[in-house]
Short mmCIF file of all heavy atoms in Angstrom, two decimals:
data_model
loop_
_atom_site.label_atom_id
_atom_site.label_comp_id
_atom_site.label_asym_id
_atom_site.label_seq_id
_atom_site.Cartn_x
_atom_site.Cartn_y
_atom_site.Cartn_z
N CYS Z 1456 -23.31 5.12 -7.83
CA CYS Z 1456 -24.39 5.87 -8.42
C CYS Z 1456 -25.70 5.70 -7.61
O CYS Z 1456 -25.81 4.72 -6.85
CB CYS Z 1456 -24.62 5.47 -9.88
SG CYS Z 1456 -25.15 3.77 -10.09
N LYS Z 1457 -26.59 6.62 -7.79
CA LYS Z 1457 -27.82 6.55 -6.95
C LYS Z 1457 -29.11 6.87 -7.72
O LYS Z 1457 -30.09 7.30 -7.10
CB LYS Z 1457 -27.69 7.43 -5.77
CG LYS Z 1457 -27.66 8.90 -6.07
CD LYS Z 1457 -27.77 9.71 -4.79
CE LYS Z 1457 -27.74 11.20 -5.15
NZ LYS Z 1457 -27.56 12.07 -4.01
N GLY Z 1458 -29.10 6.68 -9.03
CA GLY Z 1458 -30.33 6.86 -9.77
C GLY Z 1458 -31.37 5.77 -9.46
O GLY Z 1458 -30.97 4.77 -8.80
N MET Z 1459 -32.56 5.96 -9.85
CA MET Z 1459 -33.64 5.04 -9.46
C MET Z 1459 -33.38 3.60 -10.00
O MET Z 1459 -33.63 2.65 -9.27
CB MET Z 1459 -35.00 5.54 -10.06
CG MET Z 1459 -35.52 6.75 -9.31
SD MET Z 1459 -35.44 6.67 -7.50
CE MET Z 1459 -36.60 5.36 -7.17
N ASP Z 1460 -32.94 3.47 -11.22
CA ASP Z 1460 -32.70 2.15 -11.78
C ASP Z 1460 -31.69 1.34 -10.94
O ASP Z 1460 -31.91 0.19 -10.60
CB ASP Z 1460 -32.15 2.23 -13.22
CG ASP Z 1460 -33.28 2.47 -14.21
OD1 ASP Z 1460 -34.45 2.55 -13.75
OD2 ASP Z 1460 -32.97 2.59 -15.41
N CYS Z 1461 -30.59 1.97 -10.64
CA CYS Z 1461 -29.52 1.26 -9.91
C CYS Z 1461 -29.92 1.05 -8.45
O CYS Z 1461 -29.54 0.06 -7.84
CB CYS Z 1461 -28.21 1.96 -10.06
SG CYS Z 1461 -27.52 1.80 -11.71
N LYS Z 1462 -30.73 1.98 -7.89
CA LYS Z 1462 -31.22 1.72 -6.53
C LYS Z 1462 -32.06 0.47 -6.57
O LYS Z 1462 -31.98 -0.40 -5.65
CB LYS Z 1462 -32.07 2.90 -6.06
CG LYS Z 1462 -31.26 3.98 -5.31
CD LYS Z 1462 -32.20 5.12 -4.85
CE LYS Z 1462 -31.47 6.14 -3.99
NZ LYS Z 1462 -31.36 5.76 -2.65
N SER Z 1466 -28.03 -0.65 -5.48
CA SER Z 1466 -26.87 0.24 -5.24
C SER Z 1466 -26.78 0.71 -3.77
O SER Z 1466 -25.68 0.96 -3.32
CB SER Z 1466 -26.94 1.44 -6.18
OG SER Z 1466 -28.02 2.28 -5.88
N GLY Z 1492 -24.17 10.65 -8.97
CA GLY Z 1492 -25.51 10.69 -9.65
C GLY Z 1492 -25.68 9.48 -10.49
O GLY Z 1492 -25.17 8.38 -10.15
N CYS Z 1493 -26.35 9.64 -11.60
CA CYS Z 1493 -26.47 8.58 -12.59
C CYS Z 1493 -25.42 8.77 -13.64
O CYS Z 1493 -25.32 9.84 -14.24
CB CYS Z 1493 -27.88 8.60 -13.18
SG CYS Z 1493 -28.04 7.55 -14.61
N TYR Z 1494 -24.64 7.72 -13.92
CA TYR Z 1494 -23.57 7.81 -14.89
C TYR Z 1494 -24.03 7.48 -16.31
O TYR Z 1494 -23.24 7.49 -17.24
CB TYR Z 1494 -22.41 6.84 -14.54
CG TYR Z 1494 -21.70 7.37 -13.33
CD1 TYR Z 1494 -21.94 6.86 -12.04
CD2 TYR Z 1494 -20.68 8.36 -13.43
CE1 TYR Z 1494 -21.30 7.36 -10.95
CE2 TYR Z 1494 -20.06 8.81 -12.33
CZ TYR Z 1494 -20.32 8.32 -11.10
OH TYR Z 1494 -19.67 8.79 -10.02
N GLY Z 1495 -25.37 7.17 -16.43
CA GLY Z 1495 -25.85 6.83 -17.75
C GLY Z 1495 -25.62 5.40 -18.18
O GLY Z 1495 -25.83 5.03 -19.29
N PHE Z 1496 -25.19 4.57 -17.19
CA PHE Z 1496 -24.93 3.16 -17.51
C PHE Z 1496 -25.86 2.26 -16.66
O PHE Z 1496 -25.48 1.21 -16.14
CB PHE Z 1496 -23.50 2.75 -17.20
CG PHE Z 1496 -22.46 3.56 -17.85
CD1 PHE Z 1496 -21.44 4.16 -17.12
CD2 PHE Z 1496 -22.52 3.81 -19.22
CE1 PHE Z 1496 -20.45 4.90 -17.74
CE2 PHE Z 1496 -21.52 4.61 -19.86
CZ PHE Z 1496 -20.50 5.14 -19.11
N CYS Z 1497 -27.13 2.74 -16.53
CA CYS Z 1497 -28.03 2.00 -15.60
C CYS Z 1497 -28.19 0.54 -16.03
O CYS Z 1497 -28.43 -0.32 -15.20
CB CYS Z 1497 -29.42 2.69 -15.60
SG CYS Z 1497 -29.33 4.44 -15.19
N HIS Z 1498 -28.09 0.26 -17.33
CA HIS Z 1498 -28.25 -1.10 -17.81
C HIS Z 1498 -27.12 -2.01 -17.36
O HIS Z 1498 -27.17 -3.21 -17.49
CB HIS Z 1498 -28.34 -1.14 -19.35
CG HIS Z 1498 -27.18 -0.53 -20.01
ND1 HIS Z 1498 -26.89 0.82 -19.95
CD2 HIS Z 1498 -26.22 -1.08 -20.80
CE1 HIS Z 1498 -25.81 1.10 -20.65
NE2 HIS Z 1498 -25.38 -0.04 -21.20
N GLY Z 1500 -25.75 -1.39 -14.13
CA GLY Z 1500 -25.58 -1.03 -12.72
C GLY Z 1500 -25.77 -2.17 -11.76
O GLY Z 1500 -26.12 -3.26 -12.21
N PRO Z 1501 -25.56 -1.92 -10.45
CA PRO Z 1501 -25.02 -0.66 -9.91
C PRO Z 1501 -23.58 -0.41 -10.36
O PRO Z 1501 -22.83 -1.36 -10.53
CB PRO Z 1501 -25.08 -0.91 -8.39
CG PRO Z 1501 -26.05 -2.01 -8.22
CD PRO Z 1501 -25.96 -2.85 -9.43
N ASN Z 1502 -23.29 0.88 -10.48
CA ASN Z 1502 -21.96 1.27 -10.96
C ASN Z 1502 -21.17 2.02 -9.88
O ASN Z 1502 -21.72 2.76 -9.12
CB ASN Z 1502 -22.16 2.18 -12.17
CG ASN Z 1502 -22.75 1.45 -13.33
OD1 ASN Z 1502 -22.13 0.60 -13.92
ND2 ASN Z 1502 -24.01 1.78 -13.65
S1 FES Y 2696 -28.41 5.06 -11.69
FE1 FES Y 2696 -26.62 3.88 -11.84
S2 FES Y 2696 -25.84 4.49 -13.78
FE2 FES Y 2696 -27.83 5.32 -13.73
#
Side-chain angles (χ1 to χ4, degrees):
C1456 66
K1457 68 169 179 192
M1459 288 315 292
D1460 279 0
C1461 289
K1462 269 181 176 277
S1466 67
C1493 168
Y1494 289 98
F1496 306 130
C1497 306
H1498 57 295
N1502 294 291

